[in-house]
Amino acid sequence: AQSVTQLGSHVSVSEGALVLLRCNYSSSVPPYLFWYVQYPNQGLQLLLKYTSAATLVKGINGFEAEFKKSETSFHLTKPSAHMSDAAEYFCAVTPRSDKLIFGTGTRLQVFP
Amino acid sequence: GAVVSQHPSWVICKSGTSVKIECRSLDFQATTMFWYRQFPKQSLMLMATSNEGSKATYEQGVEKDKFLINHASLTLSTLTVTSAHPEDSSFYICSARDHNTDTQYFGPGTRLTVL
């Protein structure tokens, strides 16, 4: 069975600081992995995805994530946080059966 | 990028009435669409997988007679909440799968409030 664990339901950083949102996955087959962002009262926007090509994936808004098979991780990072990054972030995995399995989400707060 | 729309964005209805929510893929064809439900400050819960031209596949615990799904074309899926009750109040989000990119693109969501 596939699953996703997001460590830390809340993360707070200062503007300009490094953002690190953690995601660990469990999958019996090589997975596809995704990070989505959700702003209040909106749907989900795709930040980036891993589909078995390069292990370091660059996404929109300066975010990137690295697929580490040995650690079964797909952590999301951004070198310098901006106030507009404050949102809910979801990691998701699919075993290529169409269904997305979401983590519980991490709320990112950015302080000035 | 791929765009998915939902209509309406919010709806308020009386208990016992039915509400229809539309989900459209605007610039790609989607043989598969998904309907999710999201409670406040929680993750998305998959309700059903909508397949164009065939019956939807419902997740365990989701009442198929209450949440009617129709996927009549490659760009449109509808979710009808029948005989709505206050406990059906929630944020409903659809997504459409672009088979060319193996990626789900999400609609902006519909907030349903049942009085």
Side-chain angles (χ1 to χ4, degrees):
Chain A
Q2 285 70 34
S3 66
V4 172
T5 301
Q6 288 185 243
L7 295 175
S9 58
H10 288 81
V11 171
S12 298
V13 299
S14 299
E15 192 173 19
L18 171 72
V19 175
L20 171 60
L21 305 182
R22 299 178 186 275
C23 173
N24 288 88
Y25 71 91
S26 172
S27 179
S28 56
V29 298
Y32 285 177
L33 292 156
F34 303 81
W35 275 100
Y36 287 89
V37 60
Q38 185 181 31
Y39 297 99
N41 297 310
Q42 295 187 29
L44 275 66
Q45 180 182 8
L46 179 67
L47 276 178
L48 50 80
K49 64 178 181 180
Y50 166 78
T51 57
S52 74
T55 56
L56 181 61
V57 182
K58 294 186 183 298
I60 62 171
N61 302 339
F63 284 94
E64 62 181 38
E66 186 173 7
F67 173 72
K68 292 187 176 181
K69 184 178 179 180
S70 61
E71 298 177 9
T72 61
S73 69
F74 190 58
H75 301 331
L76 181 71
T77 60
K78 181 174 180 177
S80 177
H82 192 273
M83 295 295 289
S84 61
D85 294 327
E88 187 87 18
Y89 291 80
F90 292 96
C91 181
V93 63
T94 178
R96 310 182 197 183
S97 65
D98 283 354
K99 291 183 182 180
L100 273 176
I101 299 164
F102 285 92
T104 51
T106 298
R107 181 167 298 276
L108 175 66
Q109 287 185 306
V110 182
F111 294 100
Chain B
V3 180
V4 176
S5 69
Q6 271 183 253
H7 178 80
S9 56
W10 59 271
V11 57
I12 301 173
C13 69
K14 293 182 178 180
S15 186
T17 60
S18 295
V19 174
K20 180 186 283 187
I21 303 170
E22 293 186 349
C23 177
R24 294 179 185 272
S25 57
L26 299 185
D27 49 4
F28 65 100
Q29 293 183 330
T31 54
T32 307
M33 292 185 172
F34 302 85
W35 287 96
Y36 296 84
R37 185 172 179 176
Q38 186 179 34
F39 292 101
K41 299 185 179 181
Q42 293 189 27
S43 189
L44 281 72
M45 181 191 79
L46 179 65
M47 297 174 66
T49 301
S50 171
N51 301 298
E52 187 267 337
S54 64
K55 290 183 178 180
T57 303
Y58 290 82
E59 294 299 300
Q60 191 172 8
V62 178
E63 299 176 61
K64 61 181 180 181
D65 294 329
K66 181 167 186 63
F67 298 100
L68 300 179
I69 291 172
N70 183 275
H71 194 154
S73 77
L74 288 173
T75 59
L76 173 65
S77 175
T78 61
L79 168 68
T80 301
V81 183
T82 63
S83 186
H85 288 90
E87 58 265 31
D88 299 324
S89 298
S90 191
F91 194 52
Y92 292 88
I93 305 175
C94 74
S95 70
R97 183 168 179 260
D98 184 344
H99 286 262
N100 291 325
T101 59
D102 251 343
T103 300
Q104 283 189 35
Y105 296 94
F106 286 79
T110 298
R111 181 154 313 275
L112 170 63
T113 301
V114 184
L115 302 177

